[in-house]
Amino acid sequence: MLSTQPAETQPPSNPPDPPSRPPHPSYSPFHPIPGLSNFRDIGGWPTTRPHTSIRTGILFRGSDTNRITPAGISKLHDLGIETDFDLRSAQQIEKTGGYREMEGIERRWTPVFVEGEYTEEKARRRYELYASEGVEGIVKAFVEILTAGAEMFRTVLRHLLATVPAPGFENPVPALFMHCTTGNNRTGVFISLLLLLLGVPVESVVEEYALSEEGLAPTRHVNVERLLKKGAFEKYGPEKAREKCERMVGARPESMRALIAEVEKKWGGAEGYFRGIVGLKQEEIEGLKNVLIVTDDGPR
């Protein structure tokens, strides 16, 4: 039956409820930071050496800080974070409106890819690799990240060695935050290789990497819509394009297992990568182990 009310006084229909989103994880190793997603401590994982684990409160990982709130910045201060390593390219930062200055936290711009390596054409090619259905494509992208980002990784780790004292130091320890855009691909592969170097078992490294599935779940729709608006995968049609975007902002365990196998094949394992590609000296590798591995009853 037609309404008897004029159009201008027609009561609005109730809009459909928005789809429910999972909350940001609040369990260890995650830390809820207002305005920041996928943020967690890389420490706490046991190593293959009995009664040892990765030191907590030193190195944190997550997504970009563009939407972080003043309360979120305060929480980063509470965690002792003094340095923010931004792995994004110049083009990515420009397209998102710049970067966020956080008082009391030094931002260090250490891009994985130099400007010429992040053109629109090359970015789309990487998108295809990230979003491929099997693991061959994403492993190829991950190896490219590890190779292109060697200088960045060397800078971060040498900064850590120069600023973080050995376990047992009683005063507040200056912590580091390392992030790309969503914190799953570029940040994810570097953290995984570091944990392997420190002796974390393969399956634990895979588990840590896959935590990004839960860390990004609350904001995945935002990242997917951002990619779709950029025209990513539009040639595949709306449904397939969305599926590929969802895969891009995921963290499949099989992808990390395949990467670890490739690192073993290509460089003889994590230590071969750090010596041969990153360029760390053996004493620096030992220094990282001394700083980042703790035992049940004190320093390593």
Side-chain angles (χ1 to χ4, degrees):
M1 184 172 72
L2 294 178
S3 170
T4 58
Q5 300 185 62
E8 61 268 20
T9 59
Q10 176 85 12
S13 59
N14 292 326
D17 291 334
S20 61
R21 309 291 181 192
H24 288 277
S26 58
Y27 53 86
S28 180
F30 289 101
H31 290 266
I33 307 292
L36 191 60
S37 62
N38 202 23
F39 181 89
R40 59 190 188 266
D41 193 328
I42 74 151
W45 297 92
T47 77
T48 53
R49 179 174 295 188
H51 311 298
T52 63
S53 61
I54 304 304
R55 187 178 178 187
T56 59
I58 302 298
L59 180 55
F60 297 86
R61 57 176 292 182
S63 62
D64 68 56
T65 58
N66 289 25
R67 296 179 182 85
I68 194 168
T69 67
I73 296 173
S74 179
K75 282 186 174 289
L76 296 188
H77 289 154
D78 291 345
L79 291 169
I81 292 174
E82 295 187 4
T83 312
D84 167 25
F85 285 95
D86 189 342
L87 278 53
R88 296 174 297 163
S89 69
Q91 294 91 328
Q92 285 182 306
I93 295 170
E94 182 180 352
K95 287 178 180 178
T96 55
Y99 57 87
R100 182 70 184 271
E101 289 281 6
M102 298 184 290
E103 187 176 354
I105 299 176
E106 179 191 7
R107 176 180 175 269
R108 298 279 299 272
W109 182 46
T110 48
V112 170
F113 295 106
V114 296
E115 190 167 348
E117 286 301 312
Y118 217 91
T119 62
E120 196 68 31
E121 179 183 348
K122 290 183 178 182
R124 287 183 180 275
R125 180 181 63 80
R126 291 190 185 100
Y127 284 5
E128 291 287 351
L129 295 176
Y130 291 141
S132 56
E133 291 188 21
V135 297
E136 184 177 349
I138 198 166
V139 167
K140 183 176 179 181
F142 284 174
V143 168
E144 186 178 5
I145 287 170
L146 288 171
T147 305
E151 181 178 351
M152 175 282 300
F153 212 7
R154 184 168 61 248
T155 298
V156 172
L157 296 176
R158 284 182 173 165
H159 176 89
L160 187 154
L161 286 170
T163 59
V164 177
F169 188 76
E170 294 182 359
N171 292 330
V173 175
L176 291 68
F177 173 41
M178 184 176 177
H179 73 84
C180 47
T181 300
T182 51
N184 60 321
N185 289 323
R186 280 164 293 183
T187 302
V189 297
F190 289 114
I191 294 301
S192 294
L193 265 288
L194 177 60
L195 293 178
L196 282 174
L197 178 74
L198 298 173
V200 175
V202 167
E203 280 308 306
S204 293
V205 172
V206 170
E207 182 182 352
E208 199 286 333
Y209 167 77
L211 284 176
S212 287
E213 284 286 342
E214 296 163 65
L216 289 172
T219 56
R220 181 169 284 116
H221 62 291
V222 175
N223 293 306
V224 168
E225 292 303 323
R226 173 180 55 82
L227 290 167
L228 290 172
K229 285 178 181 178
K230 288 175 64 174
F233 314 117
E234 61 183 354
K235 64 182 180 182
Y236 295 99
E239 186 176 340
K240 191 70 173 177
R242 182 171 292 275
E243 179 185 312
K244 283 181 169 288
C245 291
E246 292 273 359
R247 197 177 294 127
M248 266 195 71
V249 290
R252 294 173 286 167
E254 60 268 27
S255 299
M256 183 49 60
R257 289 193 190 96
L259 174 64
I260 292 171
E262 183 64 19
V263 167
E264 190 67 38
K265 175 182 173 183
K266 194 173 185 67
W267 296 305
E271 191 156 326
Y273 165 73
F274 280 93
R275 286 203 312 263
I277 305 302
V278 178
L280 294 187
K281 300 173 183 177
Q282 189 60 39
E283 54 265 33
E284 290 176 311
I285 290 174
E286 288 303 312
L288 287 171
K289 293 177 180 179
N290 288 333
V291 168
L292 292 174
I293 298 175
V294 292
T295 63
D296 293 344
D297 55 356
R300 171 175 171 264

